Amino acid sequence: MPVFKLCMKIIQKNLSSMMIYVAVFLAVSTLLSLNSSKVQEAGFSQEKTNIAFISEEDSPLIDGFQAELAKTASFVEVPDETEKLQDALFFRSVSYILRIPKGFTQSFMRGEDVRIEKTTVPNSVSNAYIDLNINQYFNTAALYVKTVPGITQEDLVRHLKADMEINTPVAMKADAQPDTDNGFSENYFNYLAYALSSVLVLGISAIMLVFNDRDLSRRNFCSPLSAGKINFQFILANLIFTVACWAVMVGFCFLLDYRNIMTRNTAYLVLNSFVFTLSMSGISFLIGNLLKERGAISAVCNVVSLGPCFISGVFVPQELLNSTVLKIASFTPTYWYVKANNQISSLSSFSFSSLSEVYVAMLIEAGFAVAFFAVSMVVGKKKRMSS
């Protein structure tokens, strides 16, 4: 099988450059995937906000208020100097400065309209909780002052403490989650898109470039081998190379994440990666038929592999990408590959309705493969006719 052997020799000659992509992929994907496992929140707990509490008076009401505020805030000691307070906000030592003005308690107990001074970091979500707690405390206190004439500060603080202890329980509900952690597999297979596309473009394009050489092409068709046998050996070599690249990269996932290799999620991830491999093989055939110089392979490889990966969710999650970027990315098989991976990893039910979107994404990837192979055949036929 001389044509088959020639293809293997071409692949062997380019093996070193392809192994660079494989090695970088394995190193980066392993490190990133291990640190990117998804953690399911089991409950809700409110974090405390760092605030500076400055009171220009001392009274039972203010002491009770500070004790209640301590449940949702951490008090940071900051000197009562304008410059140091501003520095504390700027460097985020505190995000909220609360100042109780002198005479506040007496005015409040008389039912007068009084204000608490505050300085905050703009657009801080945590500060909203502090505002809510302050408003709740003093609105409730104002209601007691209005409806219970002559109430003392001590009695007011005691009633407020009892009222503030009533909390609303928070229950976090979520859809059923997979029994296993698919975070590693999801990230691994997403990163696989870059390395797999790079290796296929380098390998198949190199083979196509050699066989599209005018002199070699004429020599092949003058040989005793029939055109059918030449094409069979050529297709067989490329098929073996494609499947071998896919199997090697998927096999490393089984070694690194052996605990989850028997899950149905992983099985669908493997299937999706195989369909994606076919689409990238089609792109590689098309590139090989279009290129005329060997030096252009590396440049085109970087564009074809890196470009779609950046806009399709391989390196940056699709949830963080702009809608316009995602629309552009939807014209590449990488986008549908990553989208299917994300959906597969979150599946806990494998009914047809649950998998319908995954099947649609795979069909689109397969459609890309058919389209690229068809265009590649047309381009290749025109090249042979012109030669």
Side-chain angles (χ1 to χ4, degrees):
M1 299 178 71
V3 176
F4 180 83
K5 291 180 179 178
L6 176 60
C7 292
M8 293 297 105
K9 286 183 178 180
I10 296 171
I11 292 173
Q12 186 177 2
K13 186 177 180 181
N14 292 273
L15 192 62
S16 57
S17 59
M18 290 186 286
M19 288 305 298
I20 294 175
Y21 287 93
V22 176
V24 172
F25 158 70
L26 291 174
V28 174
S29 62
T30 301
L31 291 174
L32 293 180
S33 299
L34 289 173
N35 294 325
S36 303
S37 298
K38 293 182 178 178
V39 179
Q40 178 68 20
E41 296 291 340
F44 169 82
S45 61
Q46 182 176 325
E47 294 185 357
K48 291 189 174 183
T49 304
N50 291 334
I51 74 170
F53 189 91
I54 301 172
S55 178
E56 297 178 358
E57 64 174 21
D58 187 15
S59 66
L61 177 63
I62 300 303
D63 292 341
F65 167 62
Q66 187 173 5
E68 187 63 35
L69 193 60
K71 296 178 181 178
T72 55
S74 296
F75 300 113
V76 178
E77 293 292 335
V78 181
D80 189 8
E81 300 175 13
T82 302
E83 184 177 349
K84 292 190 176 180
L85 290 172
Q86 290 175 345
D87 287 343
L89 282 177
F90 180 81
F91 292 108
R92 300 300 189 266
S93 299
V94 297
S95 61
Y96 201 110
I97 298 175
L98 184 64
R99 181 183 295 274
I100 307 295
K102 190 173 183 179
F104 173 86
T105 303
Q106 291 183 358
S107 299
F108 182 84
M109 296 301 294
R110 289 197 298 265
E112 298 177 4
D113 186 16
V114 290
R115 300 279 181 179
I116 294 177
E117 300 175 10
K118 70 172 185 177
T119 308
T120 65
V121 172
N123 302 321
S124 174
V125 176
S126 60
N127 291 343
Y129 290 103
I130 301 297
D131 289 333
L132 287 173
N133 290 333
I134 294 173
N135 292 334
Q136 183 183 19
Y137 189 88
F138 284 106
N139 286 341
T140 306
L143 185 62
Y144 275 107
V145 171
K146 183 177 180 180
T147 57
V148 185
I151 188 172
T152 63
Q153 292 187 43
E154 289 77 8
D155 290 339
L156 177 59
V157 170
R158 188 174 64 255
H159 287 302
L160 290 172
K161 182 179 180 181
D163 293 339
M164 296 297 112
E165 288 178 351
I166 302 174
N167 296 318
T168 302
V170 177
M172 296 187 68
K173 295 184 179 180
D175 296 332
Q177 296 295 319
D179 295 332
T180 55
D181 179 15
N182 298 303
F184 178 87
S185 297
E186 178 186 358
N187 286 289
Y188 183 93
F189 277 97
N190 281 349
Y191 299 135
L192 180 142
Y194 168 62
L196 189 59
S197 57
S198 300
V199 171
L200 289 178
V201 170
L202 283 174
I204 295 177
S205 296
I207 295 174
M208 296 292 294
L209 199 63
V210 171
F211 274 86
N212 285 334
D213 180 76
R214 179 178 297 181
D215 295 334
L216 182 61
S217 179
R218 289 174 177 177
R219 181 179 177 183
N220 285 337
F221 285 104
C222 290
S223 66
L225 288 174
S226 64
K229 289 184 179 180
I230 292 175
N231 290 331
F232 172 75
Q233 293 182 33
F234 177 74
I235 293 173
L236 180 63
N238 281 283
L239 181 62
I240 290 176
F241 171 69
T242 300
V243 174
C245 291
W246 169 78
V248 168
M249 295 189 186
V250 170
F252 273 105
C253 180
F254 291 163
L255 292 176
L256 298 171
D257 193 29
Y258 57 89
R259 293 185 181 88
N260 295 320
I261 61 174
M262 300 304 292
T263 64
R264 296 184 67 178
N265 300 80
T266 303
Y268 278 101
L269 288 172
V270 171
L271 177 61
N272 186 40
S273 68
F274 183 75
V275 178
F276 175 74
T277 301
L278 295 179
S279 65
M280 292 309 304
S281 179
I283 293 176
S284 302
F285 268 97
L286 179 58
I287 293 172
N289 278 316
L290 292 174
L291 292 181
K292 297 181 179 179
E293 296 181 4
R294 182 179 180 83
I297 294 179
S298 297
V300 173
C301 173
N302 288 330
V303 173
V304 172
S305 58
L306 274 177
C309 288
F310 272 115
I311 65 175
S312 299
V314 174
F315 302 127
V316 180
Q318 290 184 346
E319 296 82 5
L320 303 179
L321 293 173
N322 184 274
S323 58
T324 304
V325 174
L326 292 177
K327 286 181 180 178
I328 297 173
S330 64
F331 290 95
T332 67
T334 308
Y335 167 82
W336 298 100
Y337 169 70
V338 174
K339 184 177 181 180
N341 281 348
N342 296 339
Q343 292 169 342
I344 291 169
S345 298
S346 62
L347 286 177
S348 58
S349 171
F350 293 88
S351 62
F352 181 81
S353 58
S354 301
L355 288 166
S356 58
E357 293 186 12
V358 175
Y359 290 141
V360 169
M362 288 186 185
L363 285 174
I364 294 175
E365 293 173 47
F368 275 109
V370 173
F372 286 127
F373 276 116
V375 174
S376 178
M377 290 176 65
V378 172
V379 173
K381 185 176 181 180
K382 286 186 176 181
K383 269 194 169 184
R384 286 192 296 271
M385 290 175 63
S386 62
S387 61

